[in-house]
Amino acid sequence: MCIRDRNEALPIVEMRGISIEFPGVKALDGVDFRLFQGEVHALMGENGAGKSTLIKALTGVYRIDSGSIVVAGQERSFGGAGDAQDAGISTVYQEVNLAPNLSIGENVMLGHESRGVFGINWTATHRAATEALERLGLGHLDTRKPLSTLSIALQQLVAISRAMAIKAKVLILDEPTSSLDAAEVEGLFTVIRALRDQGVAILFVSHFLDQVYAISDRLTVLRNGQYEGEYLTRDLDRHALISKMIGKDLDALTSLGGNRRRAPRDADEKPLLAASGIARRGAVEATDLDIRPGEVIGFAGLLGSGRTELARLLYGADRPDEGTIELHGRRIDLRSPADALPRRIAFSTENRRDEGIIGDLTVRENIILAVQAERGWARPMSRKEQDAIVDRYIEQFHVRPADPDRMIKNLSGGNQQKVLLGRWLATQPELLILDEPTRGIDVGAKAEIQEAVAELAEDGVAVVFISSELEEVVRLSERIIVLKDHRKIGEIQNGPDVTAQVIVDVIAAHGVEAAAETLDDTDGAVPDSIAPTTDKEAAR
């Protein structure tokens, strides 16, 4: 789609010289932004660059200290999100903010129900919801069914339908694909393109660069709260974009993994943790697994493959129905995460918002939480002990702003993730399980976290690394466990010829032997690097 030149049309949204300051930090400093009708415009920048702050200024959540906001040629002063909605601006956030206990139709029309003399006219409301869903190709959905019956991908589309129910001129999509698989992302993109072609202006925020280049027409880059520039997406390659976002070349990403082990370990080396036939009904089929000290072992598979479920069994968040777990050669019974911490097993959840950070606590309180819990609340840590731990991890992970007494809910997603990593490293784990640690964060923060994982392995910490981004699983892992349909279907010894495509082939072939034949035919990775599931596992 040919997008407009500066002189061809007036933008539907124009923000000029936007500045917002919080105590101790200037979040935005004279930022400009333009958005045209019928385009997908990506807002790019590292975590903490000011993207979320700019969106909240546009949606009335934050008041601006200086600058102006013009919508459809009219200068606006938003006193709240309702004012922005009245101006035709709707937002769908990364975490789907819907009510799963209500019906699909109730969610679509929430706050905009059809009313009559006796209150809400539910027949008319559900009819309007169906019409809104039909505009996104979702007319087949039964609006009276509970929202909870839908997949996350469909819930995301319901959230967009709700946003469009007010006839929005501007649709803001904040990390809409973070919980979707590849097929679901393409389905969402089909909807986005249809809305764009209907003249809707779409502001798209994502840390997946491939998706940005697949869907956006134009992009604006922010860095450290300042406007770096606006570009046609087709005119800016990925390397140049990353450099503009972080202010330097991202050599860290390309060099990571260079020191990882590429040869199998000694078969006599004792594992740190050994799981035999662990299973949980409906979650994971019987699985054998061993993890050695200083090893990064990747869990790879599509969403719903059983990656997280297997990790939760290793941590005690869920209890297996069968099988055993040994630590240092001794059988252990993990009844809960409280049993795992004293055994120096730590787990960082993929659900950062609901199961990770405690939003109403400070950065300091979030970092020391696990150490204090292990010690016991009857023995509170001194301020000196707290400062030693907190200062170390704020500095190590470059948490911004570097204010330990700042509420963590006011930090960007990437900085929240760094705080969580600091929390678990403070417990000095022997085994660290990281579930989607780089999801929804920028390339700079991602590189820092990946570098930390590599350094932990060098220091002898065993790491389970789970990610939907197969490239980073390959980059960091010594071995890769491949899962599909809640079972382990193969194990790959990493090496120079192993790529993300190798994992894809294993998954697509429903088993490693067929995948190895595919690789043979295409002169791909060395088939010997792919190990089938054991006879014992196959028998199960």
Side-chain angles (χ1 to χ4, degrees):
M1 179 178 179
C2 181
I3 64 171
R4 301 161 179 80
D5 186 73
R6 292 174 182 269
N7 300 319
E8 289 183 4
L10 291 175
I12 185 70
V13 170
E14 186 165 16
M15 306 175 76
R16 306 181 189 127
I18 303 298
S19 293
I20 295 179
E21 191 166 354
F22 301 117
V25 61
K26 195 156 192 174
L28 294 177
D29 186 7
V31 170
D32 296 335
F33 176 75
R34 307 183 313 158
L35 180 62
F36 290 94
Q37 284 185 289
E39 77 166 352
V40 179
H41 192 129
L43 185 60
M44 306 299 295
E46 291 189 274
N47 288 107
K51 303 188 302 295
S52 295
T53 305
L54 187 68
I55 288 173
K56 289 177 180 178
L58 178 57
T59 55
V61 177
Y62 290 159
R63 288 184 177 272
I64 61 176
D65 295 324
S66 62
S68 63
I69 300 175
V70 178
V71 180
Q74 180 180 352
E75 186 165 343
R76 296 277 190 165
S77 179
F78 297 145
D83 291 344
Q85 280 200 2
D86 291 343
I89 300 172
S90 286
T91 307
V92 177
Y93 293 100
Q94 174 179 355
E95 306 291 347
V96 179
N97 292 317
L98 298 174
N101 58 312
L102 298 181
S103 70
I104 297 169
E106 288 171 310
N107 272 280
V108 172
M109 301 303 296
L110 194 62
H112 303 281
E113 297 89 350
S114 300
R115 295 182 180 272
V117 293
F118 299 109
I120 297 175
N121 183 333
W122 286 112
T123 300
T125 295
H126 281 283
R127 187 185 308 119
T130 298
E131 292 172 357
L133 290 167
E134 283 176 345
R135 288 197 289 272
L136 300 188
L138 300 173
H140 62 283
L141 294 181
D142 182 349
T143 61
R144 296 182 184 274
K145 281 190 174 181
L147 179 80
S148 58
T149 62
L150 299 183
S151 67
I152 291 295
L154 283 175
Q155 288 186 32
Q156 190 73 260
L157 295 179
V158 168
I160 294 175
S161 294
R162 181 169 75 177
M164 297 306 299
I166 65 167
K167 305 295 193 295
K169 305 170 188 173
V170 175
L171 178 62
I172 301 171
L173 300 176
D174 188 4
E175 296 287 353
T177 64
S178 59
S179 299
L180 309 184
D181 64 26
E184 292 167 340
V185 168
E186 190 50 49
L188 174 62
F189 281 4
T190 298
V191 169
I192 291 175
R193 293 183 183 107
L195 291 172
R196 178 193 63 186
D197 294 344
Q198 293 168 23
V200 178
I202 299 170
L203 173 54
F204 182 79
V205 180
S206 175
H207 292 298
F208 296 106
L209 295 188
D210 287 346
Q211 295 178 11
V212 168
Y213 278 89
I215 196 66
S216 70
D217 303 302
R218 190 191 302 265
L219 52 84
T220 291
V221 179
L222 302 183
R223 187 169 71 238
N224 298 326
Q226 297 181 325
Y227 172 80
E228 197 285 330
E230 177 193 277
Y231 308 90
L232 293 173
T233 305
R234 63 172 179 256
D235 292 341
L236 193 69
D237 65 35
R238 287 163 174 74
H239 189 275
L241 172 59
I242 293 172
S243 297
K244 292 179 184 300
M245 288 168 58
I246 68 176
K248 58 183 177 181
D249 288 337
L250 195 62
D251 294 331
L253 269 180
T254 56
S255 63
L256 271 174
N259 295 323
R260 72 175 179 226
R261 298 175 187 268
R262 296 185 180 275
R265 292 178 180 234
D266 188 337
D268 295 329
E269 182 179 4
K270 299 296 184 184
L272 168 70
L273 181 144
S276 177
I278 58 171
R280 182 176 173 86
R281 194 173 299 108
V284 182
E285 294 186 21
T287 301
D288 294 339
L289 177 70
D290 58 72
I291 307 170
R292 300 174 180 85
E295 178 180 35
V296 180
I297 183 167
F299 286 3
L302 303 179
L303 290 173
S305 62
R307 301 170 309 179
T308 295
E309 291 82 354
L310 178 58
R312 288 174 63 87
L313 294 182
L314 299 178
Y315 179 58
D318 294 326
R319 295 195 65 189
D321 298 322
E322 59 182 89
T324 60
I325 297 176
E326 293 184 352
L327 187 69
H328 293 298
R330 305 179 73 173
R331 182 169 174 173
I332 60 174
D333 183 15
L334 299 177
R335 296 175 177 270
S336 72
D339 292 333
L341 268 181
R343 293 178 169 89
R344 299 179 68 185
I345 301 174
F347 174 79
S348 184
T349 175
E350 66 175 333
N351 190 344
R352 180 171 60 227
R353 187 188 69 172
D354 296 332
E355 299 176 359
I357 66 167
I358 310 298
D360 290 328
L361 297 183
T362 65
V363 170
R364 175 193 306 279
E365 291 165 332
N366 270 274
I367 289 179
I368 68 167
L369 191 62
V371 174
Q372 183 62 75
E374 184 180 1
R375 174 183 290 201
W377 301 104
R379 298 173 53 216
M381 300 174 65
S382 69
R383 186 57 176 255
K384 183 177 180 180
E385 290 176 299
Q386 293 181 23
D387 287 344
I389 292 173
V390 172
D391 292 348
R392 173 183 177 183
Y393 292 111
I394 284 179
E395 180 179 355
Q396 179 176 340
F397 295 125
H398 306 103
V399 176
R400 295 294 179 266
D403 178 6
D405 296 314
R406 190 176 187 83
M407 302 294 284
I408 194 171
K409 65 184 178 183
N410 295 329
L411 268 61
S412 66
N415 282 295
Q416 290 175 356
Q417 189 65 56
K418 293 177 186 178
V419 169
L420 284 179
L421 189 54
R423 174 197 293 173
W424 297 117
L425 291 186
T427 66
Q428 298 183 316
E430 289 185 322
L431 172 61
L432 178 61
I433 303 170
L434 299 174
D435 194 356
E436 297 284 7
T438 64
R439 191 185 82 178
I441 66 175
D442 65 82
V443 288
K446 184 177 295 186
E448 291 175 347
I449 289 175
Q450 291 178 2
E451 185 175 12
V453 170
E455 290 175 354
L456 285 170
E458 289 296 319
D459 292 338
V461 178
V463 180
V464 171
F465 189 86
I466 305 172
S467 176
S468 298
E469 296 188 51
L470 298 182
E471 289 80 4
E472 68 176 357
V473 173
V474 172
R475 183 182 297 118
L476 287 172
S477 303
E478 182 176 331
R479 279 186 299 139
I480 302 167
I481 305 299
V482 185
L483 296 107
K484 183 178 182 181
D485 298 331
H486 305 285
R487 65 183 292 261
K488 175 183 172 183
I489 62 170
E491 184 173 311
I492 300 174
Q493 176 66 46
N494 211 344
D497 295 320
V498 174
T499 65
Q501 188 58 46
V502 172
I503 301 174
V504 171
D505 289 342
V506 170
I507 295 171
H510 294 259
V512 295
E513 293 173 344
E517 292 173 6
T518 301
L519 293 167
D520 248 345
D521 293 340
T522 58
D523 293 323
V526 180
D528 290 343
S529 68
I530 305 178
T533 52
T534 64
D535 291 341
K536 183 166 61 173
E537 288 175 304
R540 293 194 186 99

